[in-house]
C-alpha cells in the first residue's frame, strides 16, 4: 500500500504541501482498502462536511477554490505520497477547497474519528500532521506573495516549472491547456496566450493544442528570478 517514492531531483523541484514519510503514511492508513477513482471524479467539494482524510497512492489530484459566482482558481496539484483533506477533518469545519481527480487515481482514506484515534495511539502522527499543516501554510503564504508582488510572466514561469515537474510525459509535454494555466494564476486565457506566444518566439517553450513543453528551463528561471528580485 505504500506510495511510490519521488527521486531526489523531484524532491528538490516539487513543493509538496501535504508531504509525509512512507512509514507514517503506512501507519496513518494501515488496514485501509485501496479505492479506485476515475478521472474527473470529485473526492470532495468546497463547503462540504469534512468527514475523511485521503492518501494518494497513484494519480494526480487537483485542489481548487471557487468563488460564489463560480470562478475557479487552481490552488495546487497533489501527487503521491500526499495527504489531502486534513484541514476540515482536524478542525471539524467545512472543506476549504474542492478536490478532483485529473486522471485515474488510487487512494486510501480514513474517517475523522479514525484520524484522531490513530493520532492518540501513535504520537508521531500528531507531529506529522502539524508538519503537513505548517508546510501547507508556507505554500499558501508563498502563493499569496507571488499573487501580490509578481507580474504574470514570473508567476506563469514558476507555474510551468512546477507543473512540468509534476505532470510532464516522457517527451516533456505537459498535458495542460491555456485555460487551465489561467485558472492556476487567476488571470485571463488571453493574457496567458500572449505570454506563451512571446516565449515560443524566443524558443523558451513550445505549444500544441492542450499541451506545453519547456524547451529552455533556464530561460523560465531567469524570468521568474528577475521579477522576484
Amino acid at each position: 500500500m505504500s506510495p511510490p517514492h519521488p527521486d531526489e531531483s523531484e524532491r528538490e523541484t516539487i513543493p509538496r504541501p501535504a508531504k509525509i514519510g512512507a512509514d507514517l503514511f503506512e501507519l496513518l492508513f494501515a488496514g485501509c482498502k485501496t479505492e479506485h477513482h476515475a478521472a474527473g471524479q470529485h473526492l470532495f467539494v468546497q463547503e462540504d462536511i469534512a468527514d475523511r482524510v485521503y492518501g494518494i497512492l497513484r494519480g494526480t489530484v487537483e485542489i481548487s477554490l471557487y468563488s460564489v459566482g463560480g470562478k475557479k482558481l487552481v490552488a495546487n496539484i497533489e501527487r503521491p505520497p500526499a495527504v489531502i483533506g486534513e484541514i476540515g477533518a482536524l478542525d471539524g469545519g467545512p472543506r476549504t477547497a474542492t478536490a478532483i481527480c485529473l486522471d485515474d487515481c488510487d487512494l486510501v482514506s480514513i474517517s475523522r474519528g479514525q484520524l484522531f484515534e490513530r493520532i492518540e495511539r501513535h504520537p508521531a502522527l500528531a507531529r506529522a500532521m502539524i508538519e503537513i499543516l505548517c508546510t501547507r501554510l508556507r505554500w499558501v503564504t508563498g502563493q499569496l506573495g507571488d499573487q501580490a508582488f509578481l507580474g504574470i510572466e514570473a508567476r506563469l514561469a514558476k507555474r510551468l516549472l512546477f507543473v512540468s515537474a509534476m505532470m510532464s510525459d516522457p517527451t516533456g509535454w505537459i498535458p495542460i491547456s491555456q485555460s487551465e494555466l489561467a485558472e492556476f494564476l487567476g488571470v485571463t486565457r488571453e493574457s496567458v496566450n500572449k505570454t506563451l506566444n512571446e516565449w515560443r518566439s524566443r524558443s523558451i517553450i513550445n505549444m500544441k493544442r492542450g499541451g506545453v513543453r519547456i524547451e529552455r528551463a533556464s530561460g523560465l528561471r531567469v524570468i521568474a528570478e528577475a521579477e522576484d528580485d
Side-chain angles (χ1 to χ4, degrees):
M1 188 189 69
S2 298
H5 296 275
D7 60 29
E8 290 300 324
S9 62
E10 190 181 21
R11 288 193 186 99
E12 292 174 0
T13 58
I14 301 176
R16 293 186 178 274
K19 182 178 177 181
I20 187 172
D23 54 341
L24 292 176
F25 188 102
E26 184 76 26
L27 192 61
L28 182 61
F29 296 104
C32 295
K33 293 183 179 180
T34 300
E35 307 167 10
H36 303 286
H37 296 264
Q41 183 174 345
H42 285 82
L43 299 179
F44 50 81
V45 176
Q46 188 174 324
E47 301 299 332
D48 276 356
I49 296 173
D51 57 351
R52 301 197 74 76
V53 175
Y54 295 86
I56 305 174
L57 299 173
R58 179 182 68 89
T60 306
V61 177
E62 176 188 275
I63 309 297
S64 300
L65 306 174
Y66 288 85
S67 69
V68 175
K71 187 176 180 180
K72 178 182 176 182
L73 176 67
V74 177
N76 199 19
I77 298 291
E78 296 281 7
R79 287 183 56 80
V83 173
I84 59 175
E86 77 290 338
I87 294 177
L90 285 169
D91 70 6
R95 294 294 188 191
T96 58
T98 293
I100 185 171
C101 298
L102 292 184
D103 48 23
D104 292 345
C105 294
D106 291 338
L107 301 103
V108 283
S109 70
I110 55 175
S111 68
R112 185 169 186 254
Q114 288 175 309
L115 172 64
F116 283 107
E117 178 186 351
R118 295 181 183 203
I119 285 176
E120 290 174 1
R121 201 170 2 154
H122 305 287
L125 287 175
R127 179 175 178 177
M129 298 307 293
I130 291 171
E131 289 177 349
I132 287 173
L133 291 172
C134 289
T135 307
R136 193 181 297 284
L137 178 59
R138 290 179 183 275
W139 165 261
V140 172
T141 301
Q143 295 306 300
L144 286 173
D146 286 354
Q147 192 84 11
F149 302 124
L150 299 184
I152 182 175
E153 286 200 357
R155 289 161 54 206
L156 182 55
K158 283 188 171 186
R159 279 298 184 175
L160 278 178
L161 290 167
F162 172 68
V163 295
S164 177
M166 292 286 281
M167 301 170 58
S168 62
D169 66 19
T171 65
W173 283 100
I174 310 165
I176 194 167
S177 69
Q178 293 182 24
S179 295
E180 289 169 328
L181 283 171
E183 289 174 342
F184 262 112
L185 304 177
V187 299
T188 66
R189 179 192 177 280
E190 289 74 19
S191 60
V192 168
N193 176 263
K194 179 180 178 181
T195 303
L196 290 178
N197 276 312
E198 197 270 330
W199 289 349
R200 180 168 59 178
S201 71
R202 294 160 55 189
S203 300
I204 294 175
I205 59 104
N206 197 358
M207 292 190 295
K208 65 180 181 180
R209 186 177 180 84
V212 179
R213 184 171 66 190
I214 297 174
E215 304 293 346
R216 288 195 296 117
S218 60
L220 286 183
R221 294 191 186 97
V222 167
I223 293 169
E225 292 167 3
E227 291 202 28
D228 200 16
D229 291 338

